[in-house]
Amino acid sequence: MEPSNQYTNTKVQPKDFTSGWLIALIIAGTGLSLPTLYLGSEIALNLGLKNALVAFGIATLVLTLMCMATTVIGNRSRLSTYMILHFSFGENGAKVVNTIFGITLIGWFSVALELLAIAIKDAAFDAFEITISKWAIIILASLFITITTIFGIKSLEKLANIVIPILTLFLGFVVYKSIGELESLQKLFHNHNQDSNMTLFDATSILVGSAILFPVLMADFSRFIKNDRHSLIAVLGITIGFPVALTFSAIPSLQTGEVDIIKIMREINLVIPAIILLFISTWVTNATNLYSAVLTFSTIKQKWSFKKMSIVASIIGTTLSILGFSDYLFEFLEFLGILAPSISTIYIINFFWVKKQEYLLKDITKWESSALISWILSSTIALLTYLEIFQLTGAYFVDSFILGGLFYFIYKRKEILK
């Protein structure tokens, strides 16, 4: 595949089909990111290992079930998420939704860059007493990531094939070494903040919000996969990769009592390998984030080349990172948990029951009011349940998912039931 042809607005051709195992590696690699490792540590230290593992499991189950539906849609349609949204939301409606997703992905890009820069800056000072400018690290890392992204899904595959096994083995070694230094395994279950206000529900909500874009964006990757069976194999990147990454970050944090990964690595004398780990993991994750963001914006600015869009999106994300966007990480994740789930359920219903698994370009309209109204209503109610003005299921992200589907089903019931 040529770098300029990433099938932003067209169906993927058979010559570029790939294995579900390779895509699973890419997806698993995004779990080995600084934001995810930070969340695993934070939740474990607040809840203890037992409750943290329950939260990891519930969040993974929710995400897996959603991904199983959306990955099949991408595989059968061979279209990107952003083109798929045209059929359920209309041409202009999809631009509204895509703009939100694009901004969200750029936000993730900037958060990961900033956390990386802070970690490397601290590590360089601790190990060598060298002071490195945070913005210089951000710009350098962004440059590597942008170049990788420009060469598209194939370059991400090659990068993931090399680094993901290495990163997994490294983190596994860190866990092994952490457990070896424990006086008793009971410490893992008792060494947490007894005064924490974080609940099991809070932790599960944050985790679902942290990865809620996976179900929505699975089509971006599954459209390249050989067949349905392989597209479901790709979901293992979430089902296995997500909880493993969280657990691998939780155990060293509980052993050391630290959430900062550099402080954790200093405790077990692995600061230098940690710097390499952080850089490579952010490279893989942010190349994926930027790739998806470019696909999003490509449906809005269709005349721009993939390369041009990659550069512009990278500049925006890098600027946000320098300005300190990571200060709003938790609010950012909660925002995603309100808006994104209903979009998934709307386009799942649209593909399987409204369009009967067949997308025809002539069917795209300018606006699809049924989807837009369903999304706005479900998001508004989910916001109210998030603010605890009243409660439905007790989980605002579940409210968003169920209500989005319910409202859309009511609007489209005649087409669905005919």
Side-chain angles (χ1 to χ4, degrees):
M1 188 195 311
E2 294 300 320
S4 61
N5 181 17
Q6 298 302 318
Y7 301 107
T8 53
N9 303 302
T10 57
K11 291 188 176 185
V12 175
Q13 297 303 305
K15 67 183 180 69
D16 288 312
F17 289 175
T18 190
S19 165
W21 293 108
L22 295 179
I23 298 299
L25 270 178
I26 294 175
I27 294 170
T30 62
L32 298 172
S33 66
L34 269 171
T36 303
L37 296 176
Y38 171 80
L39 288 175
S41 297
E42 189 71 32
I43 288 169
L45 286 174
N46 279 282
L47 296 184
L49 184 60
K50 181 180 178 180
N51 285 333
L53 291 175
V54 173
F56 299 166
I58 295 172
T60 301
L61 178 62
V62 171
L63 295 165
T64 296
L65 292 174
M66 294 173 68
C67 283
M68 287 175 70
T70 56
T71 194
V72 170
I73 295 174
N75 188 255
R76 293 181 183 177
S77 70
R78 299 297 174 187
L79 294 169
S80 70
T81 300
Y82 318 103
M83 285 304 296
I84 289 171
L85 291 174
H86 279 64
F87 292 93
S88 48
F89 286 85
E91 183 179 344
N92 293 329
K95 288 181 179 179
V96 174
V97 177
N98 287 344
T99 298
I100 292 173
F101 282 152
I103 293 170
T104 298
L105 288 160
I106 293 299
W108 265 122
F109 179 88
S110 67
V111 167
L113 271 181
E114 187 179 356
L115 291 177
L116 171 70
I118 292 170
I120 291 180
K121 180 181 178 181
D122 291 346
F125 185 79
D126 288 342
F128 309 109
E129 295 187 355
I130 297 174
T131 301
I132 306 176
S133 171
K134 187 176 81 170
W135 64 263
I137 300 171
I138 289 173
I139 292 173
L140 181 63
S142 179
L143 182 62
F144 274 95
I145 292 161
T146 305
I147 292 171
T148 304
T149 305
I150 288 172
F151 288 92
I153 193 77
K154 293 297 183 183
S155 67
L156 293 183
E157 282 180 13
K158 292 174 183 176
L159 184 60
N161 285 338
I162 297 169
V163 302
I164 300 308
I166 296 173
L167 297 182
T168 304
L169 288 172
F170 177 82
L171 286 173
F173 174 72
V174 171
V175 170
Y176 170 77
K177 193 163 184 179
S178 298
I179 292 175
E181 294 185 7
L182 285 170
E183 296 176 3
S184 167
L185 286 176
Q186 291 300 314
K187 183 178 180 181
L188 289 178
F189 294 90
H190 295 96
N191 188 23
H192 64 278
N193 181 8
Q194 302 289 344
D195 299 322
S196 171
N197 293 322
M198 182 181 286
T199 65
L200 182 61
F201 170 71
D202 292 336
T204 304
S205 300
I206 290 169
L207 289 169
V208 171
S210 74
I212 196 62
L213 283 188
F214 275 116
V216 181
L217 305 179
M218 273 300 295
D220 288 347
F221 302 99
S222 63
R223 65 196 177 118
F224 285 97
I225 299 173
K226 297 173 183 176
N227 52 45
D228 277 0
R229 184 174 66 85
H230 269 261
S231 70
L232 292 173
I233 287 172
V235 178
L236 293 175
I238 277 283
T239 308
I240 298 176
F242 189 55
V244 165
L246 292 168
T247 305
F248 275 10
S249 62
I251 291 174
S253 290
L254 289 168
Q255 188 267 320
T256 60
E258 295 284 355
V259 70
D260 187 319
I261 195 166
I262 293 302
K263 292 179 180 177
I264 293 170
M265 295 302 173
R266 187 195 305 145
E267 289 278 339
I268 52 181
N269 299 314
L270 289 172
V271 173
I272 301 302
I275 295 176
I276 300 170
L277 162 71
L278 294 174
F279 185 82
I280 296 177
S281 66
T282 304
W283 187 0
V284 175
T285 304
N286 258 6
T288 305
N289 286 334
L290 187 59
Y291 177 78
S292 292
V294 172
L295 289 179
T296 309
F297 291 127
S298 292
T299 64
I300 300 167
K301 298 288 289 185
Q302 296 185 10
K303 293 183 179 179
W304 284 24
S305 68
F306 187 88
K307 180 178 179 180
K308 181 178 180 180
M309 190 70 75
S310 297
I311 294 170
V312 171
S314 175
I315 290 172
I316 295 171
T318 303
T319 303
L320 285 174
S321 184
I322 292 171
L323 294 175
F325 185 74
S326 69
D327 292 343
Y328 306 97
L329 177 60
F330 285 136
E331 292 87 348
F332 181 57
L333 297 180
E334 289 162 349
F335 166 79
L336 289 183
I338 293 168
L339 293 182
S342 55
I343 293 173
S344 294
T345 192
I346 287 168
Y347 90 67
I348 289 169
I349 291 173
N350 179 267
F351 179 76
F352 286 107
W353 291 288
V354 177
K355 300 299 183 184
K356 314 299 182 186
Q357 302 190 48
E358 186 177 11
Y359 283 150
L360 301 174
L361 292 177
K362 65 181 180 63
D363 291 339
I364 297 177
T365 61
K366 289 295 182 181
W367 294 96
E368 282 287 346
S369 58
S370 56
L372 287 165
I373 293 172
S374 298
W375 177 47
I376 292 169
L377 285 175
S378 58
S379 297
T380 300
I381 295 173
L383 175 62
L384 295 176
T385 60
Y386 164 72
L387 295 173
E388 299 184 348
I389 293 174
F390 60 87
Q391 292 294 310
L392 294 175
T393 66
Y396 61 87
F397 53 88
V398 175
D399 296 339
S400 174
F401 184 82
I402 293 175
L403 289 172
L406 179 61
F407 289 137
Y408 189 64
F409 177 84
I410 292 171
Y411 270 107
K412 292 290 189 179
R413 63 189 182 280
K414 291 183 180 179
E415 294 176 56
I416 293 171
L417 299 174
K418 70 179 181 179

